[in-house]
């Protein structure tokens, strides 16, 4: 079947109102959970083929996320979808006011390759929970995971409700010519602009989950041991191919030597090394070449080796870096960690403010004044104090960017709202209304109105 035909069928199916039924939504959320569990090995094998990601990392950073999302919506669907009563103001008496969440309709989800399951399936979970029909286009860059998702979705779900579409740039371009009620995109800022432009032609609302250069600041008041351990994990997990990974470090000069030693120690302790089963490959040779070019040999503090054939790049720390270096121009999205030292905390915050708003920011300190300055002065999608990336693991927090790092957010109730329209409904009694608002007007009526409003 042609994709245009599937989109038309989804539009017809949405009109039948079946997806609004809570039992229907729960049934398919449970089905998705069961399909994932039944095909767990297929999912592990596909991601191993694509970029050597371990079963452990795939479960902890992808599968468990999706299963938790499903559990969250199964437990909270009733309260999320219930109309919310709100106060009715005096001019609308006698009346009742409610906000009713209604599904937007037909959704297009476009995924990225770096956490291929989480980034395609988690938005699907939220979209179905909110009562929509959905088409997902996973990233063709991780070909095996894309094929695995296409298989498990299309073999188990009616295409008029949920359909996975296999394709690259050409297919996505065609898809973007069709009209949807919402486009949810995860990927680069560059492609995000293409999506936004295409969506604008149909006035289609978008959520754009993009990237950016996310800083981690380590002050002399930090617990350095904890900071080093958490940063090494967050930066080199998935070989740095993580949108919220610390992109670069800003380290207070007086503790830099000591801190760098700790980073080295944890990289070795975690066995983040070429050919290790704990470590992930670079997705393709294009990215491998882009990344190896960013390694300035004169600035290597640790690592720097790579294996072109197997597409591994060793965890690499660069020191004596400055803001004008190539590695500081764009999001790195790989296992290269530039370190810039600073002496003045306030000035370093000002430097960050000179750049585009990042998707994440991290601060390591025990000093409450520094914590306040970090929270109040910087603008970023989301972040942590004394940790990295774990804010994503709390479904009570929204996940999304700001400025160049994205538009909108999801996770937990925010995901439900992202795929819903908040419909305002005022219900009036048919009695007890003063005639004052109706013509013919008079000075006397106006003076009463002025007192009321
Ligand atoms: P990408 O922008 O190259 O691709 C994302 C999707 O867009 C893919 O499905 C691809 O097929 C499609 N696409 C690519 N070029 C297109 C074009 N010209 N027209 C239409 N569609 C097109 O991104 P990527 O390489 O898959 O992912 C890396 C980027 O994504 C990084 O910048 C990273 O920070 C960001 N990212 C953000 C998040 C987040 O949640 N905010 C998560 C993961 C990745």
């Amino acid at each position: 079947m042609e994709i245009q035909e599937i989109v038309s069928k989804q539009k017809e199916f949405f009109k039948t109102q079946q997806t609004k039924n809570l039992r229907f939504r729960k049934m398919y959320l449970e089905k998705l959970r069961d399909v994932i569990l039944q095909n767990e090995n297929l999912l592990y094998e596909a991601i191993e083929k694509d970029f050597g990601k371990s079963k452990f990392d795939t479960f902890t950073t992808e599968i468990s996320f999706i299963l938790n999302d499903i559990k969250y919506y199964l437990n909270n669907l009733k309260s999320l979808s219930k109309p919310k009563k709100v106060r009715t103001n005096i001019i609308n008496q006698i009346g009742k006011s409610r906000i009713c969440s209604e599904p937007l309709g037909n959704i297009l989800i476009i995924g990225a390759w770096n956490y291929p399951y989480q980034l395609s399936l988690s938005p699907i979970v939220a979209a179905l929970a909110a009562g929509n029909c959905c088409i997902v286009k996973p990233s063709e860059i991780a070909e095996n995971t894309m094929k695995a998702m296409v298989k498990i979705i299309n073999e188990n779900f009616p295409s008029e409700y949920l359909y996975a579409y296999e394709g690259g740039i050409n297919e996505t371009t065609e898809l973007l010519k069709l009209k949807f009620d919402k486009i949810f995109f995860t990927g680069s800022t560059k492609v995000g602009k293409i999506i936004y432009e295409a969506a604008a032609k149909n006035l289609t609302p978008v959520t754009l989950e993009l990237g950016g250069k996310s800083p981690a600041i380590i002050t002399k008041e930090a617990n350095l041991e904890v900071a080093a351990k958490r940063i090494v994990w967050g930066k080199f997990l998935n070989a740095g191919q993580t949108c919220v990974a610390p992109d670069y470090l800003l380290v207070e000069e007086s503790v830099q030597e000591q801190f760098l030693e700790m980073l080295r120690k944890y990289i070795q302790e975690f066995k983040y090394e070429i050919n290790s089963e704990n470590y992930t490959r670079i997705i393709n040779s294009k990215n491998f070449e882009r990344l190896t070019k960013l390694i300035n040999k004169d600035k290597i503090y640790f690592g720097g080796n790579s294996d072109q054939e197997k597409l591994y790049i060793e965890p690499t720390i660069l020191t004596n870096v400055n803001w004008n270096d190539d590695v500081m121009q764009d999001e790195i999205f790989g296992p290269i960690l530039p370190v810039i030292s600073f002496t003045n905390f306030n000035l370093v915050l000002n430097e960050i403010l000179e750049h585009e708003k990042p998707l994440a920011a991290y601060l390591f300190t025990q000093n409450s004044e520094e914590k306040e300055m970090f929270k109040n002065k910087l603008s970023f999608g989301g972040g942590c104090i004394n940790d990295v990336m774990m804010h994503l693991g709390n479904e009570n927090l929204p996940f999304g960017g700001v400025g160049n790092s994205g538009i909108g957010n999801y996770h937990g109730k925010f995901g439900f709202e992202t795929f819903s329209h908040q419909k305002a409904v005022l219900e009036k009694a048919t009695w007890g209304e003063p005639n004052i608002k109706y013509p013919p007007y008079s000075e006397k009526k106006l003076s009463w109105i002025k007192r009321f409003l």
Side-chain angles (χ1 to χ4, degrees), residues 110-114 119 137-140 169 172-173 176 185-188 191 194-195 209-211 243 331 333 359 399:
I110 302 174
W113 60 264
N114 59 324
L119 299 175
K137 208 294 294 172
S139 172
E140 75 286 5
I169 297 178
T172 315
T173 307
L176 287 170
F185 170 81
T186 305
S188 60
V191 179
I194 298 173
I195 305 293
E209 295 283 340
L210 311 176
C243 58
E331 181 184 3
F333 217 55
L359 181 61
F399 173 57

PDB file of all heavy atoms in Angstrom, residues 110-114 119 137-140 169 172-173 176 185-188 191 194-195 209-211 243 331 333 359 399, ligand 1:
ATOM      1  N   ILE A 110       9.085  11.313  13.588  1.00  0.00           N
ATOM      2  CA  ILE A 110      10.324  11.072  12.836  1.00  0.00           C
ATOM      3  C   ILE A 110      11.438  10.885  13.860  1.00  0.00           C
ATOM      4  O   ILE A 110      11.681  11.766  14.695  1.00  0.00           O
ATOM      5  CB  ILE A 110      10.653  12.252  11.894  1.00  0.00           C
ATOM      6  CG1 ILE A 110       9.484  12.483  10.921  1.00  0.00           C
ATOM      7  CG2 ILE A 110      11.951  11.985  11.122  1.00  0.00           C
ATOM      8  CD1 ILE A 110       9.645  13.718  10.030  1.00  0.00           C
ATOM      9  N   GLY A 111      12.081   9.719  13.825  1.00  0.00           N
ATOM     10  CA  GLY A 111      13.054   9.371  14.866  1.00  0.00           C
ATOM     11  C   GLY A 111      14.502   9.590  14.447  1.00  0.00           C
ATOM     12  O   GLY A 111      14.812   9.734  13.262  1.00  0.00           O
ATOM     13  N   ALA A 112      15.377   9.619  15.443  1.00  0.00           N
ATOM     14  CA  ALA A 112      16.831   9.693  15.208  1.00  0.00           C
ATOM     15  C   ALA A 112      17.439   8.313  15.470  1.00  0.00           C
ATOM     16  O   ALA A 112      16.799   7.436  16.050  1.00  0.00           O
ATOM     17  CB  ALA A 112      17.450  10.745  16.122  1.00  0.00           C
ATOM     18  N   TRP A 113      18.699   8.125  15.076  1.00  0.00           N
ATOM     19  CA  TRP A 113      19.282   6.777  15.120  1.00  0.00           C
ATOM     20  C   TRP A 113      19.989   6.448  16.434  1.00  0.00           C
ATOM     21  O   TRP A 113      20.252   5.296  16.730  1.00  0.00           O
ATOM     22  CB  TRP A 113      20.295   6.596  13.967  1.00  0.00           C
ATOM     23  CG  TRP A 113      21.423   7.592  14.032  1.00  0.00           C
ATOM     24  CD1 TRP A 113      21.498   8.766  13.355  1.00  0.00           C
ATOM     25  CD2 TRP A 113      22.600   7.519  14.845  1.00  0.00           C
ATOM     26  NE1 TRP A 113      22.647   9.438  13.700  1.00  0.00           N
ATOM     27  CE2 TRP A 113      23.340   8.690  14.597  1.00  0.00           C
ATOM     28  CE3 TRP A 113      23.109   6.577  15.739  1.00  0.00           C
ATOM     29  CZ2 TRP A 113      24.554   8.947  15.238  1.00  0.00           C
ATOM     30  CZ3 TRP A 113      24.314   6.835  16.379  1.00  0.00           C
ATOM     31  CH2 TRP A 113      25.021   8.011  16.122  1.00  0.00           C
ATOM     32  N   ASN A 114      20.350   7.449  17.241  1.00  0.00           N
ATOM     33  CA  ASN A 114      21.321   7.177  18.314  1.00  0.00           C
ATOM     34  C   ASN A 114      20.752   6.402  19.497  1.00  0.00           C
ATOM     35  O   ASN A 114      21.469   5.661  20.142  1.00  0.00           O
ATOM     36  CB  ASN A 114      21.998   8.485  18.764  1.00  0.00           C
ATOM     37  CG  ASN A 114      21.025   9.510  19.264  1.00  0.00           C
ATOM     38  OD1 ASN A 114      19.920   9.624  18.750  1.00  0.00           O
ATOM     39  ND2 ASN A 114      21.406  10.243  20.269  1.00  0.00           N
ATOM     40  N   LEU A 119      13.736   6.677  20.928  1.00  0.00           N
ATOM     41  CA  LEU A 119      13.345   7.931  20.276  1.00  0.00           C
ATOM     42  C   LEU A 119      12.205   7.760  19.272  1.00  0.00           C
ATOM     43  O   LEU A 119      11.565   8.738  18.898  1.00  0.00           O
ATOM     44  CB  LEU A 119      14.557   8.572  19.598  1.00  0.00           C
ATOM     45  CG  LEU A 119      15.694   8.927  20.560  1.00  0.00           C
ATOM     46  CD1 LEU A 119      16.903   9.430  19.801  1.00  0.00           C
ATOM     47  CD2 LEU A 119      15.246   9.956  21.588  1.00  0.00           C
ATOM     48  N   LYS A 137       8.446   7.185  11.359  1.00  0.00           N
ATOM     49  CA  LYS A 137       9.518   7.000  10.365  1.00  0.00           C
ATOM     50  C   LYS A 137      10.829   6.961  11.156  1.00  0.00           C
ATOM     51  O   LYS A 137      11.390   7.996  11.498  1.00  0.00           O
ATOM     52  CB  LYS A 137       9.488   8.185   9.389  1.00  0.00           C
ATOM     53  CG  LYS A 137      10.006   7.907   8.002  1.00  0.00           C
ATOM     54  CD  LYS A 137      11.471   7.602   7.921  1.00  0.00           C
ATOM     55  CE  LYS A 137      12.376   8.753   8.275  1.00  0.00           C
ATOM     56  NZ  LYS A 137      13.798   8.381   8.361  1.00  0.00           N
ATOM     57  N   PRO A 138      11.300   5.731  11.492  1.00  0.00           N
ATOM     58  CA  PRO A 138      12.565   5.654  12.238  1.00  0.00           C
ATOM     59  C   PRO A 138      13.724   6.083  11.348  1.00  0.00           C
ATOM     60  O   PRO A 138      13.567   6.224  10.137  1.00  0.00           O
ATOM     61  CB  PRO A 138      12.692   4.159  12.588  1.00  0.00           C
ATOM     62  CG  PRO A 138      11.392   3.524  12.216  1.00  0.00           C
ATOM     63  CD  PRO A 138      10.760   4.396  11.179  1.00  0.00           C
ATOM     64  N   SER A 139      14.890   6.271  11.944  1.00  0.00           N
ATOM     65  CA  SER A 139      16.037   6.727  11.153  1.00  0.00           C
ATOM     66  C   SER A 139      16.639   5.582  10.337  1.00  0.00           C
ATOM     67  O   SER A 139      16.909   4.502  10.843  1.00  0.00           O
ATOM     68  CB  SER A 139      17.120   7.309  12.061  1.00  0.00           C
ATOM     69  OG  SER A 139      18.266   7.569  11.278  1.00  0.00           O
ATOM     70  N   GLU A 140      16.859   5.890   9.055  1.00  0.00           N
ATOM     71  CA  GLU A 140      17.459   4.903   8.142  1.00  0.00           C
ATOM     72  C   GLU A 140      18.948   4.715   8.403  1.00  0.00           C
ATOM     73  O   GLU A 140      19.563   3.773   7.912  1.00  0.00           O
ATOM     74  CB  GLU A 140      17.217   5.337   6.688  1.00  0.00           C
ATOM     75  CG  GLU A 140      18.076   6.511   6.183  1.00  0.00           C
ATOM     76  CD  GLU A 140      17.676   7.882   6.731  1.00  0.00           C
ATOM     77  OE1 GLU A 140      16.775   7.953   7.588  1.00  0.00           O
ATOM     78  OE2 GLU A 140      18.298   8.878   6.292  1.00  0.00           O
ATOM     79  N   ILE A 169      15.787  10.159   3.342  1.00  0.00           N
ATOM     80  CA  ILE A 169      15.457  11.569   3.115  1.00  0.00           C
ATOM     81  C   ILE A 169      14.343  11.721   2.065  1.00  0.00           C
ATOM     82  O   ILE A 169      13.390  12.471   2.270  1.00  0.00           O
ATOM     83  CB  ILE A 169      16.724  12.356   2.701  1.00  0.00           C
ATOM     84  CG1 ILE A 169      17.743  12.322   3.846  1.00  0.00           C
ATOM     85  CG2 ILE A 169      16.377  13.800   2.338  1.00  0.00           C
ATOM     86  CD1 ILE A 169      19.051  13.012   3.565  1.00  0.00           C
ATOM     87  N   THR A 172      11.013  10.724   3.484  1.00  0.00           N
ATOM     88  CA  THR A 172      10.562  11.687   4.504  1.00  0.00           C
ATOM     89  C   THR A 172      10.076  12.963   3.831  1.00  0.00           C
ATOM     90  O   THR A 172       9.073  13.556   4.241  1.00  0.00           O
ATOM     91  CB  THR A 172      11.711  12.015   5.488  1.00  0.00           C
ATOM     92  OG1 THR A 172      12.345  10.803   5.850  1.00  0.00           O
ATOM     93  CG2 THR A 172      11.197  12.689   6.741  1.00  0.00           C
ATOM     94  N   THR A 173      10.775  13.364   2.759  1.00  0.00           N
ATOM     95  CA  THR A 173      10.376  14.572   2.039  1.00  0.00           C
ATOM     96  C   THR A 173       8.968  14.404   1.471  1.00  0.00           C
ATOM     97  O   THR A 173       8.139  15.321   1.546  1.00  0.00           O
ATOM     98  CB  THR A 173      11.392  14.870   0.909  1.00  0.00           C
ATOM     99  OG1 THR A 173      12.686  14.886   1.507  1.00  0.00           O
ATOM    100  CG2 THR A 173      11.144  16.193   0.235  1.00  0.00           C
ATOM    101  N   LEU A 176       6.398  14.561   4.226  1.00  0.00           N
ATOM    102  CA  LEU A 176       6.195  15.911   4.770  1.00  0.00           C
ATOM    103  C   LEU A 176       5.247  16.760   3.910  1.00  0.00           C
ATOM    104  O   LEU A 176       4.782  17.798   4.343  1.00  0.00           O
ATOM    105  CB  LEU A 176       7.541  16.634   4.914  1.00  0.00           C
ATOM    106  CG  LEU A 176       8.427  16.143   6.061  1.00  0.00           C
ATOM    107  CD1 LEU A 176       9.813  16.757   5.967  1.00  0.00           C
ATOM    108  CD2 LEU A 176       7.805  16.452   7.416  1.00  0.00           C
ATOM    109  N   PHE A 185       9.406  15.490  15.869  1.00  0.00           N
ATOM    110  CA  PHE A 185      10.697  15.195  15.226  1.00  0.00           C
ATOM    111  C   PHE A 185      11.826  15.146  16.245  1.00  0.00           C
ATOM    112  O   PHE A 185      11.937  16.028  17.102  1.00  0.00           O
ATOM    113  CB  PHE A 185      10.997  16.279  14.188  1.00  0.00           C
ATOM    114  CG  PHE A 185      12.402  16.222  13.642  1.00  0.00           C
ATOM    115  CD1 PHE A 185      12.737  15.323  12.635  1.00  0.00           C
ATOM    116  CD2 PHE A 185      13.402  17.054  14.144  1.00  0.00           C
ATOM    117  CE1 PHE A 185      14.041  15.258  12.130  1.00  0.00           C
ATOM    118  CE2 PHE A 185      14.705  16.998  13.652  1.00  0.00           C
ATOM    119  CZ  PHE A 185      15.024  16.097  12.640  1.00  0.00           C
ATOM    120  N   THR A 186      12.675  14.134  16.153  1.00  0.00           N
ATOM    121  CA  THR A 186      13.909  14.101  16.936  1.00  0.00           C
ATOM    122  C   THR A 186      15.072  14.040  15.962  1.00  0.00           C
ATOM    123  O   THR A 186      15.096  13.184  15.074  1.00  0.00           O
ATOM    124  CB  THR A 186      13.962  12.860  17.847  1.00  0.00           C
ATOM    125  OG1 THR A 186      12.791  12.843  18.655  1.00  0.00           O
ATOM    126  CG2 THR A 186      15.182  12.882  18.742  1.00  0.00           C
ATOM    127  N   GLY A 187      16.021  14.949  16.120  1.00  0.00           N
ATOM    128  CA  GLY A 187      17.181  14.928  15.221  1.00  0.00           C
ATOM    129  C   GLY A 187      17.973  16.218  15.344  1.00  0.00           C
ATOM    130  O   GLY A 187      17.904  16.919  16.365  1.00  0.00           O
ATOM    131  N   SER A 188      18.680  16.532  14.278  1.00  0.00           N
ATOM    132  CA  SER A 188      19.579  17.690  14.329  1.00  0.00           C
ATOM    133  C   SER A 188      18.815  19.005  14.154  1.00  0.00           C
ATOM    134  O   SER A 188      17.720  19.038  13.585  1.00  0.00           O
ATOM    135  CB  SER A 188      20.615  17.560  13.208  1.00  0.00           C
ATOM    136  OG  SER A 188      19.940  17.524  11.965  1.00  0.00           O
ATOM    137  N   VAL A 191      18.140  19.713  10.325  1.00  0.00           N
ATOM    138  CA  VAL A 191      16.960  19.061   9.735  1.00  0.00           C
ATOM    139  C   VAL A 191      15.678  19.557  10.426  1.00  0.00           C
ATOM    140  O   VAL A 191      14.631  19.681   9.786  1.00  0.00           O
ATOM    141  CB  VAL A 191      17.094  17.517   9.776  1.00  0.00           C
ATOM    142  CG1 VAL A 191      15.867  16.850   9.185  1.00  0.00           C
ATOM    143  CG2 VAL A 191      18.338  17.069   9.014  1.00  0.00           C
ATOM    144  N   ILE A 194      14.147  22.188   8.476  1.00  0.00           N
ATOM    145  CA  ILE A 194      13.451  21.696   7.266  1.00  0.00           C
ATOM    146  C   ILE A 194      12.048  21.209   7.651  1.00  0.00           C
ATOM    147  O   ILE A 194      11.056  21.485   6.972  1.00  0.00           O
ATOM    148  CB  ILE A 194      14.267  20.545   6.602  1.00  0.00           C
ATOM    149  CG1 ILE A 194      15.643  21.054   6.159  1.00  0.00           C
ATOM    150  CG2 ILE A 194      13.497  19.903   5.458  1.00  0.00           C
ATOM    151  CD1 ILE A 194      16.589  19.979   5.649  1.00  0.00           C
ATOM    152  N   ILE A 195      11.989  20.506   8.766  1.00  0.00           N
ATOM    153  CA  ILE A 195      10.701  19.957   9.224  1.00  0.00           C
ATOM    154  C   ILE A 195       9.737  21.104   9.574  1.00  0.00           C
ATOM    155  O   ILE A 195       8.560  21.095   9.190  1.00  0.00           O
ATOM    156  CB  ILE A 195      10.913  19.056  10.485  1.00  0.00           C
ATOM    157  CG1 ILE A 195      11.938  17.954  10.218  1.00  0.00           C
ATOM    158  CG2 ILE A 195       9.590  18.507  11.013  1.00  0.00           C
ATOM    159  CD1 ILE A 195      11.578  16.892   9.238  1.00  0.00           C
ATOM    160  N   GLU A 209      12.669  17.935  18.920  1.00  0.00           N
ATOM    161  CA  GLU A 209      13.632  17.512  19.944  1.00  0.00           C
ATOM    162  C   GLU A 209      15.003  17.519  19.285  1.00  0.00           C
ATOM    163  O   GLU A 209      15.354  16.581  18.562  1.00  0.00           O
ATOM    164  CB  GLU A 209      13.273  16.099  20.446  1.00  0.00           C
ATOM    165  CG  GLU A 209      11.938  16.021  21.178  1.00  0.00           C
ATOM    166  CD  GLU A 209      12.005  16.546  22.606  1.00  0.00           C
ATOM    167  OE1 GLU A 209      13.121  16.621  23.159  1.00  0.00           O
ATOM    168  OE2 GLU A 209      10.953  16.882  23.168  1.00  0.00           O
ATOM    169  N   LEU A 210      15.761  18.576  19.505  1.00  0.00           N
ATOM    170  CA  LEU A 210      17.001  18.776  18.738  1.00  0.00           C
ATOM    171  C   LEU A 210      18.242  18.595  19.625  1.00  0.00           C
ATOM    172  O   LEU A 210      18.145  18.064  20.727  1.00  0.00           O
ATOM    173  CB  LEU A 210      16.968  20.158  18.085  1.00  0.00           C
ATOM    174  CG  LEU A 210      15.664  20.481  17.329  1.00  0.00           C
ATOM    175  CD1 LEU A 210      15.689  21.902  16.798  1.00  0.00           C
ATOM    176  CD2 LEU A 210      15.411  19.485  16.208  1.00  0.00           C
ATOM    177  N   GLY A 211      19.367  19.078  19.147  1.00  0.00           N
ATOM    178  CA  GLY A 211      20.617  18.866  19.890  1.00  0.00           C
ATOM    179  C   GLY A 211      21.247  20.168  20.335  1.00  0.00           C
ATOM    180  O   GLY A 211      20.557  21.162  20.561  1.00  0.00           O
ATOM    181  N   CYS A 243      22.247  12.795  22.805  1.00  0.00           N
ATOM    182  CA  CYS A 243      21.918  14.225  22.658  1.00  0.00           C
ATOM    183  C   CYS A 243      22.163  15.022  23.934  1.00  0.00           C
ATOM    184  O   CYS A 243      22.482  16.201  23.861  1.00  0.00           O
ATOM    185  CB  CYS A 243      20.480  14.388  22.196  1.00  0.00           C
ATOM    186  SG  CYS A 243      19.311  13.623  23.316  1.00  0.00           S
ATOM    187  N   GLU A 331      27.985  20.697  17.839  1.00  0.00           N
ATOM    188  CA  GLU A 331      27.778  19.554  18.735  1.00  0.00           C
ATOM    189  C   GLU A 331      28.726  18.420  18.318  1.00  0.00           C
ATOM    190  O   GLU A 331      28.818  18.103  17.133  1.00  0.00           O
ATOM    191  CB  GLU A 331      26.314  19.098  18.585  1.00  0.00           C
ATOM    192  CG  GLU A 331      25.947  17.943  19.467  1.00  0.00           C
ATOM    193  CD  GLU A 331      24.507  17.467  19.207  1.00  0.00           C
ATOM    194  OE1 GLU A 331      23.838  18.008  18.308  1.00  0.00           O
ATOM    195  OE2 GLU A 331      24.084  16.545  19.910  1.00  0.00           O
ATOM    196  N   PHE A 333      28.870  15.000  19.451  1.00  0.00           N
ATOM    197  CA  PHE A 333      28.116  13.769  19.214  1.00  0.00           C
ATOM    198  C   PHE A 333      29.036  12.570  18.995  1.00  0.00           C
ATOM    199  O   PHE A 333      28.878  11.787  18.058  1.00  0.00           O
ATOM    200  CB  PHE A 333      27.187  13.957  18.007  1.00  0.00           C
ATOM    201  CG  PHE A 333      25.874  13.256  18.173  1.00  0.00           C
ATOM    202  CD1 PHE A 333      25.071  13.496  19.268  1.00  0.00           C
ATOM    203  CD2 PHE A 333      25.433  12.331  17.234  1.00  0.00           C
ATOM    204  CE1 PHE A 333      23.854  12.845  19.434  1.00  0.00           C
ATOM    205  CE2 PHE A 333      24.222  11.677  17.377  1.00  0.00           C
ATOM    206  CZ  PHE A 333      23.433  11.935  18.473  1.00  0.00           C
ATOM    207  N   LEU A 359      20.689  21.935  24.914  1.00  0.00           N
ATOM    208  CA  LEU A 359      19.630  20.997  25.311  1.00  0.00           C
ATOM    209  C   LEU A 359      19.751  20.657  26.797  1.00  0.00           C
ATOM    210  O   LEU A 359      18.755  20.476  27.482  1.00  0.00           O
ATOM    211  CB  LEU A 359      19.744  19.727  24.455  1.00  0.00           C
ATOM    212  CG  LEU A 359      18.725  18.624  24.699  1.00  0.00           C
ATOM    213  CD1 LEU A 359      17.303  19.119  24.438  1.00  0.00           C
ATOM    214  CD2 LEU A 359      19.016  17.420  23.813  1.00  0.00           C
ATOM    215  N   PHE A 399      10.848  16.789  29.206  1.00  0.00           N
ATOM    216  CA  PHE A 399      12.104  16.670  28.473  1.00  0.00           C
ATOM    217  C   PHE A 399      11.968  17.360  27.120  1.00  0.00           C
ATOM    218  O   PHE A 399      11.134  16.979  26.300  1.00  0.00           O
ATOM    219  CB  PHE A 399      12.494  15.202  28.277  1.00  0.00           C
ATOM    220  CG  PHE A 399      13.691  15.047  27.377  1.00  0.00           C
ATOM    221  CD1 PHE A 399      14.887  15.682  27.687  1.00  0.00           C
ATOM    222  CD2 PHE A 399      13.626  14.300  26.203  1.00  0.00           C
ATOM    223  CE1 PHE A 399      15.996  15.575  26.850  1.00  0.00           C
ATOM    224  CE2 PHE A 399      14.728  14.187  25.362  1.00  0.00           C
ATOM    225  CZ  PHE A 399      15.912  14.831  25.694  1.00  0.00           C
TER     226      PHE A 399
HETATM  227  P1  LIG B   1      19.164  13.934  11.572  1.00  0.00           P
HETATM  228  O1  LIG B   1      18.572  15.275  11.758  1.00  0.00           O
HETATM  229  O2  LIG B   1      20.189  13.744  10.526  1.00  0.00           O
HETATM  230  O3  LIG B   1      18.000  12.867  11.219  1.00  0.00           O
HETATM  231  C1  LIG B   1      16.820  12.722  11.972  1.00  0.00           C
HETATM  232  C2  LIG B   1      15.699  12.231  11.086  1.00  0.00           C
HETATM  233  O4  LIG B   1      15.463  13.164  10.046  1.00  0.00           O
HETATM  234  C3  LIG B   1      15.958  10.891  10.414  1.00  0.00           C
HETATM  235  O5  LIG B   1      14.800  10.084  10.538  1.00  0.00           O
HETATM  236  C4  LIG B   1      16.231  11.250   8.961  1.00  0.00           C
HETATM  237  O6  LIG B   1      15.765  10.279   8.058  1.00  0.00           O
HETATM  238  C5  LIG B   1      15.444  12.529   8.773  1.00  0.00           C
HETATM  239  N1  LIG B   1      16.086  13.430   7.802  1.00  0.00           N
HETATM  240  C6  LIG B   1      17.421  13.629   7.625  1.00  0.00           C
HETATM  241  N2  LIG B   1      17.641  14.556   6.676  1.00  0.00           N
HETATM  242  C7  LIG B   1      16.403  14.953   6.231  1.00  0.00           C
HETATM  243  C8  LIG B   1      15.966  15.889   5.249  1.00  0.00           C
HETATM  244  N3  LIG B   1      16.811  16.602   4.515  1.00  0.00           N
HETATM  245  N4  LIG B   1      14.636  16.030   5.069  1.00  0.00           N
HETATM  246  C9  LIG B   1      13.756  15.318   5.802  1.00  0.00           C
HETATM  247  N5  LIG B   1      14.132  14.408   6.742  1.00  0.00           N
HETATM  248  C10 LIG B   1      15.425  14.226   6.961  1.00  0.00           C
HETATM  249  O7  LIG B   1      19.683  13.508  13.010  1.00  0.00           O
HETATM  250  P2  LIG B   1      20.434  12.185  13.466  1.00  0.00           P
HETATM  251  O8  LIG B   1      21.792  12.139  12.871  1.00  0.00           O
HETATM  252  O9  LIG B   1      19.559  10.996  13.290  1.00  0.00           O
HETATM  253  O10 LIG B   1      20.566  12.466  15.046  1.00  0.00           O
HETATM  254  C11 LIG B   1      21.570  13.251  15.582  1.00  0.00           C
HETATM  255  C12 LIG B   1      21.038  14.585  16.057  1.00  0.00           C
HETATM  256  O11 LIG B   1      19.833  14.439  16.754  1.00  0.00           O
HETATM  257  C13 LIG B   1      21.986  15.268  17.044  1.00  0.00           C
HETATM  258  O12 LIG B   1      22.008  16.636  16.787  1.00  0.00           O
HETATM  259  C14 LIG B   1      21.330  15.011  18.389  1.00  0.00           C
HETATM  260  O13 LIG B   1      21.648  15.927  19.389  1.00  0.00           O
HETATM  261  C15 LIG B   1      19.886  15.061  18.021  1.00  0.00           C
HETATM  262  N6  LIG B   1      19.101  14.296  18.977  1.00  0.00           N
HETATM  263  C16 LIG B   1      18.232  14.957  19.781  1.00  0.00           C
HETATM  264  C17 LIG B   1      17.507  14.241  20.725  1.00  0.00           C
HETATM  265  C18 LIG B   1      16.531  14.896  21.634  1.00  0.00           C
HETATM  266  O14 LIG B   1      15.761  14.178  22.255  1.00  0.00           O
HETATM  267  N7  LIG B   1      16.516  16.206  21.762  1.00  0.00           N
HETATM  268  C19 LIG B   1      17.673  12.865  20.819  1.00  0.00           C
HETATM  269  C20 LIG B   1      18.571  12.244  19.967  1.00  0.00           C
HETATM  270  C21 LIG B   1      19.277  12.961  19.040  1.00  0.00           C
END
